[in-house]
Amino acid sequence: MLDEFKTISGTSEGFYSEKRSKFLAFAHHVETLDEVKDIIAQYRKKYYDARHVCYAYMLGAARTDFRANDDGEPSSTAGKPILGQINSQELTDVLIVVVRYYGGVNLGTGGLIVAYREAAADALAHAQTEMRQVEEVITYTFAYPMMNDVMRIVKEMNPRILSQTYDNTCEIRLSIRQSEAEQLRQRLSKLSFE
């Protein structure tokens, strides 16, 4: 099971210019569609005087949730080349926005494809890439006397503890690598029957 994916951390910028047209590129780490929409709205507001604000994004470890937008440029000359850069590096949870200031000279479809591709590539070249794990959250409820047994399993399997409450009935929320989640679930459920 594939439970790792490659993404970027934070934000990075890139730039490309051709025949007086300027292409400002921004790569962002994103995790939700709402984040994507907010960031695009911010760029549209900040660069209100730009001719085009084109973008592409890829979300999720399975890399199945994606979109490319040409924002008025000829079909497939902006969003697709941007998305192509994300795909060529096998990245996900990434949004790249390219803002174009028109320089007065038409670049033609080939020129536009090259410009958007190069601007996106430059933004990714300045980005810090990292491998992340797909994690699953497991919530386990248990009686207080089982505390030592539960904590022994937590120590051995090393999941991240998201939250814990200790009372007559205790609850612990753990986040663990997806490929190890079933093993953790089984070990914890065995405690209930000991």
Side-chain angles (χ1 to χ4, degrees):
M1 176 174 16
L2 189 66
D3 64 354
E4 279 191 328
F5 60 93
K6 192 162 102 174
T7 188
I8 64 170
S9 56
T11 307
S12 63
E13 296 182 13
F15 178 79
Y16 184 78
S17 115
E18 179 72 31
K19 295 181 181 168
R20 295 197 312 267
S21 277
K22 291 179 175 57
F23 298 84
L24 313 175
F26 306 91
H28 290 264
H29 173 78
V30 289
E31 293 179 2
T32 65
L33 191 53
D34 287 338
E35 257 183 290
V36 168
K37 288 176 182 173
D38 288 347
I39 292 168
I40 292 165
Q42 288 170 23
Y43 281 111
R44 288 194 194 284
K45 190 174 178 180
K46 183 175 180 181
Y47 296 100
Y48 65 90
D49 57 340
R51 178 72 65 96
H52 303 280
V53 178
C54 306
Y55 64 87
Y57 65 80
M58 176 76 66
L59 294 173
R63 302 183 76 243
T64 53
D65 188 5
F66 60 90
R67 178 147 187 237
N69 184 302
D70 296 319
D71 190 39
E73 291 283 27
S75 181
S76 300
T77 60
K80 259 191 175 165
I82 297 169
L83 185 62
Q85 288 304 305
I86 296 171
N87 282 330
S88 71
Q89 296 194 30
E90 297 178 347
L91 296 168
T92 191
D93 288 355
V94 172
L95 163 69
I96 300 178
V97 178
V98 180
V99 177
R100 179 188 183 191
Y101 281 98
Y102 184 62
V105 179
N106 288 338
L107 302 180
T109 54
L112 286 172
I113 290 169
V114 168
Y116 281 101
R117 182 182 66 221
E118 292 304 315
D122 193 41
L124 288 176
H126 291 96
Q128 194 75 40
T129 58
E130 60 182 42
M131 292 303 288
R132 291 202 180 173
Q133 296 174 351
V134 179
E135 293 188 337
E136 211 169 296
V137 175
I138 296 171
T139 304
Y140 184 65
T141 307
F142 58 97
Y144 190 80
M146 297 167 62
M147 176 68 70
N148 288 342
D149 294 330
V150 170
M151 294 319 279
R152 186 186 72 245
I153 291 172
V154 168
K155 187 173 186 223
E156 288 169 5
M157 292 198 67
N158 203 24
R160 283 187 306 126
I161 299 173
L162 301 176
S163 67
Q164 46 195 351
T165 52
Y166 304 113
D167 210 355
N168 293 340
T169 304
C170 303
E171 183 180 276
I172 190 165
R173 285 184 67 233
L174 306 167
S175 183
I176 191 163
R177 189 174 180 149
Q178 197 173 37
S179 58
E180 298 172 2
E182 192 53 38
Q183 182 187 357
L184 178 60
R185 232 185 248 106
Q186 286 174 359
R187 287 186 68 184
L188 290 171
S189 68
K190 278 182 188 167
L191 291 178
S192 306
F193 302 110
E194 285 179 359

